[in-house]
Amino acid sequence: MHLARFPRVRLFPTPTPLEKLENLTRHLGGPEIWIKRDDCTVVATGGNKIRKLEWLVGEARAQGADHLITQGAVQSNHVRQTAAVARRFGMKCTALLERRVGTNDRDYLNSGNVLLDRMFGCAIEYRPPGLDMNAEAVAKGEALRAEGAKPYVIPGGGSNRVGSLGYVSCAQELVQQADEMDLHVDRLVTATGSAGTHAGLLVGLQGCNAGIPVLGIGVRNPKDRQEAAVHSLAEATADYVGVRGGIPRATVDANCDYIGPGYGQPTDGMKEAVLMLARLEGLLLDPVYSGKAMAGLIDLIRKGKFDKNERVVFLHTGGQAGLFGYTGMFEHAMEQTG
Ligand SMILES: *Cc1c(COP(=O)(O)O)cnc(C)c1O
């Protein structure tokens, strides 16, 4: 793999920290849990979309674009990160927000990521749930082009073969970082949503023959659909970067048992995980992705699915700004648990 062939902008210093979670490891009695801090990608409170945007905005600039268009749920971390990066490069940003989570909660609708989108001067349009949101974004791009803009349309979550390069590159970074620390990594665990993170990691790890399996914890789709989405994007990305032989379907592993009632809907496990990491490690997870992924990891550990001597790296994909879209729910959870 030779990623320098593709246009890129640089947005944050690498490598992001790789740290041992001593207290959580002790609390759960093994395996050894480490965390890769992709919440520390600097721009606009950070998160995994910043890695993808390095390549997406690189391509947008190479094409002479002056306006980024993207889409997501109301509390989308991806939209917030895209809106910020657009400003950094003097571009406009238009976001289509899908009312995917049925709630009238004031903080959900106005605070957290939505507040930050507005601070970055992002033009927001709302859409009802259930539309083909990527098609909506393409149509919006065409409308802006007709008005004289030079649009660049980024799919939801930045998940296409260009955005996935961010996680091909992250996999290379992690392997090199672990090697320098003499750290043998047995498994990588990540939240998996629009699939670009999971797919990019599989391609990057395969491309460096790392032999590190990836477990994705789903936040939206049933297992079959999630694995199919990750596999098809991984194949497209492998082809794009020239990883020969493709990505075997059997290496795509998504556990979708921790979604609860649906995307962005709180679960007891998520609340427990967010509070556990806050109180044991002084670390902030988010309610939609990393909180549910950590809830999955904790539950699977309790069920004995990991060897006590294994070393697991949890990829922290960010999203803390989303906590402020869910304040009432956490206030309630803390009243219950003290
Ligand atoms: C988008 C997002 C994810 C999921 O990443 P995908 O590439 O969409 O699968 C995980 N965590 C956070 C905080 C996110 O914002």
Side-chain angles (χ1 to χ4, degrees):
M1 288 182 300
H2 187 39
L3 299 184
R5 290 184 283 142
F6 303 101
R8 179 182 197 175
V9 297
R10 294 280 180 169
L11 294 172
F12 63 97
T14 55
T16 58
L18 178 60
E19 299 165 345
K20 185 173 175 191
L21 296 178
E22 297 273 3
N23 301 332
L24 184 68
T25 298
R26 197 177 316 117
H27 182 78
L28 295 171
E32 195 174 294
I33 307 168
W34 288 65
I35 194 160
K36 172 71 171 160
R37 297 287 306 273
D38 271 16
D39 56 323
C40 298
T41 52
V42 175
V43 184
T45 76
N48 62 341
K49 305 315 181 300
I50 298 298
R51 282 201 193 261
K52 300 177 182 188
L53 285 161
E54 288 199 327
W55 306 87
L56 292 160
V57 173
E59 186 176 85
R61 278 162 59 88
Q63 294 177 4
D66 62 7
H67 198 137
L68 302 181
I69 294 99
T70 197
Q71 58 92 358
V74 171
Q75 280 295 338
S76 168
N77 299 302
H78 164 68
V79 166
R80 177 246 313 159
Q81 290 165 87
T82 305
V85 174
R87 286 319 194 189
R88 172 94 163 255
F89 294 98
M91 295 189 231
K92 290 189 173 150
C93 183
T94 294
L96 310 182
L97 299 186
E98 181 187 14
R99 296 188 194 277
R100 200 186 291 167
V101 178
T103 172
N104 291 318
D105 185 83
R106 199 191 164 280
D107 287 336
Y108 185 84
L109 296 178
N110 299 293
S111 188
N113 285 299
V114 183
L115 177 73
L116 300 185
D117 297 344
R118 294 204 175 111
M119 276 193 188
F120 297 127
C122 179
I124 295 176
E125 291 182 15
Y126 290 91
R127 293 287 187 274
L131 297 176
D132 178 342
M133 287 295 289
N134 281 333
E136 292 288 309
V138 169
K140 184 68 198 176
E142 287 316 309
L144 288 167
R145 189 188 307 282
E147 293 168 14
K150 296 189 188 107
Y152 181 84
V153 178
I154 297 176
S159 283
N160 57 18
R161 64 184 191 174
V162 178
S164 292
L165 294 179
Y167 275 87
V168 175
S169 154
C170 177
Q172 291 180 317
E173 175 185 311
L174 174 66
V175 169
Q176 189 184 349
Q177 185 177 28
D179 282 347
E180 279 166 12
M181 295 166 76
D182 279 330
L183 205 71
H184 174 223
V185 176
D186 293 297
R187 206 189 309 232
L188 184 57
V189 176
T190 180
T192 182
S194 67
T197 301
H198 193 168
L201 289 172
L202 289 173
V203 173
L205 291 170
Q206 169 120 337
C208 32
N209 284 318
I212 301 173
V214 180
L215 171 62
I217 310 280
V219 297
R220 186 173 184 187
N221 296 320
K223 180 179 174 73
D224 286 0
R225 238 174 92 194
Q226 187 64 24
E227 290 183 347
V230 171
H231 186 230
S232 105
L233 183 53
E235 291 277 45
T237 306
D239 188 52
Y240 192 49
V241 299
V243 168
R244 276 178 244 292
I247 303 298
R249 176 65 180 77
T251 64
V252 181
D253 186 11
N255 182 320
C256 298
D257 296 342
Y258 299 94
I259 300 170
Y263 173 86
Q265 311 268 8
T267 62
D268 288 345
M270 178 278 287
K271 291 180 228 176
E272 184 198 14
V274 169
L275 290 176
M276 191 184 285
L277 271 285
R279 289 165 183 199
L280 286 176
E281 299 285 356
L283 258 177
L284 296 174
L285 299 176
D286 85 281
V288 180
Y289 296 94
S290 55
K292 281 190 181 170
M294 183 57 84
L297 176 60
I298 291 168
D299 188 61
L300 293 169
I301 289 172
R302 284 175 174 156
K303 288 183 169 146
K305 305 281 183 195
F306 291 86
D307 193 286
K308 292 288 173 203
N309 303 314
E310 237 184 276
R311 186 173 290 127
V312 179
V313 174
F314 179 83
L315 177 69
H316 189 337
T317 44
Q320 293 96 331
L323 284 172
F324 302 99
Y326 286 79
T327 44
M329 183 264 297
F330 281 109
E331 279 161 14
H332 184 72
M334 288 183 287
E335 273 163 26
Q336 309 278 300
T337 60

